[in-house]
Amino acid sequence: MSDQPTPPPAPVTPRPAASLVVLRHADGPEVLMGMRGAKHRFMPNRLVYPGGGVDAADHTAPYATPLRPDVLRRLEKSAEPSLARALGIAAARELFEETGLSLGSPPALDGLDYLCRAVTPPASPVRFDAHFMVVGAERVSGVLAGSGELEDLRWFGVAEALALDLALPTRGVLERLQLWMAMTEAERRAQTVVYGLYNRQWVEE
């Protein structure tokens, strides 16, 4: 009988995913968030942005307007072109499914900007390679409702949300959003660096 230790299982391959931060300005900047139910395998009982995994159909779904060229360039640092476009479609689809809000049918993707990326740590049994995008609330329409997948869905002030017990990626996205809001439109479009969260550390890609 061998006394060699059993090697750890190989990490699960992360599934491509997209989340959409919908931003509006009332008394201050607010973002749309909801609570994942206790039965979710991934991040149960956590406040999150609308989002989820990329489906096969997202690669071929129609769109009214494409992602901006600068957004595509940054997405393609970590995704081949078909997946980069599918991430935009997935973000729009998940927004509608989880909140009832729509970017149109087919969706208009030209209002989306790319904030950052977060990859679930290797030890997790469920992993996502999540790409976080932002869109202004003036770009969406519909009545806030959704499928019930996100509970207590509402607008949170950015400062209010940062004072809560947020998961590290959720907090990191809000911090990136604050930096994004401080930029001019020209500075946003000129960005070349993508910020990625790996093993609880931010790196520049």
Side-chain angles (χ1 to χ4, degrees):
M1 183 175 179
S2 174
D3 58 358
Q4 293 296 318
T6 303
V12 175
T13 300
R15 179 184 176 189
S19 288
L20 193 54
V21 181
V22 185
L23 174 66
R24 78 175 186 182
H25 295 273
D27 294 334
E30 298 179 330
V31 294
L32 186 61
M33 304 174 77
M35 187 75 69
R36 282 197 185 277
K39 295 183 179 179
H40 278 271
R41 290 184 65 208
F42 187 74
M43 292 181 67
N45 300 314
R46 283 293 197 174
L47 202 60
V48 297
Y49 313 102
V54 174
D55 291 344
D58 294 329
H59 289 264
T60 55
Y63 47 82
T65 54
L67 293 166
R68 295 195 324 246
D70 61 293
V71 173
L72 271 176
R73 280 196 299 271
R74 281 178 281 142
L75 283 169
E76 288 175 3
K77 283 178 170 282
S78 59
E80 50 88 19
S82 174
L83 176 56
R85 291 189 294 271
L87 288 164
I89 293 288
R93 174 180 55 75
E94 290 284 346
L95 175 70
F96 180 70
E97 291 176 0
E98 295 187 347
T99 74
L101 301 182
S102 173
L103 292 177
S105 182
L109 305 179
D110 59 306
L112 274 60
D113 205 349
Y114 186 25
L115 280 178
C116 57
R117 176 187 182 205
V119 180
T120 312
S124 176
V126 181
R127 301 185 69 206
F128 289 97
D129 181 357
H131 300 260
F132 293 86
M133 300 181 217
V134 59
V135 68
E138 71 279 1
R139 291 278 191 152
V140 305
S141 60
V143 178
L144 196 60
S147 63
E149 187 172 344
L150 294 182
E151 302 169 3
D152 301 322
L153 188 65
R154 70 174 178 87
W155 296 95
F156 288 79
V158 171
E160 173 193 6
L162 285 170
L164 301 174
D165 179 21
L166 300 176
L168 178 64
T170 307
R171 179 175 299 279
V173 170
L174 276 181
E175 292 168 349
R176 292 290 163 198
L177 179 66
Q178 290 179 307
L179 296 172
W180 180 88
M181 288 190 294
M183 296 179 182
T184 65
E185 182 65 20
E187 288 171 334
R188 293 168 187 164
R189 290 176 181 253
Q191 289 183 99
T192 57
V193 171
V194 173
Y195 293 92
L197 183 64
Y198 305 91
N199 290 322
R200 307 181 69 84
Q201 296 290 328
W202 287 101
V203 299
E204 294 184 6
E205 300 178 333

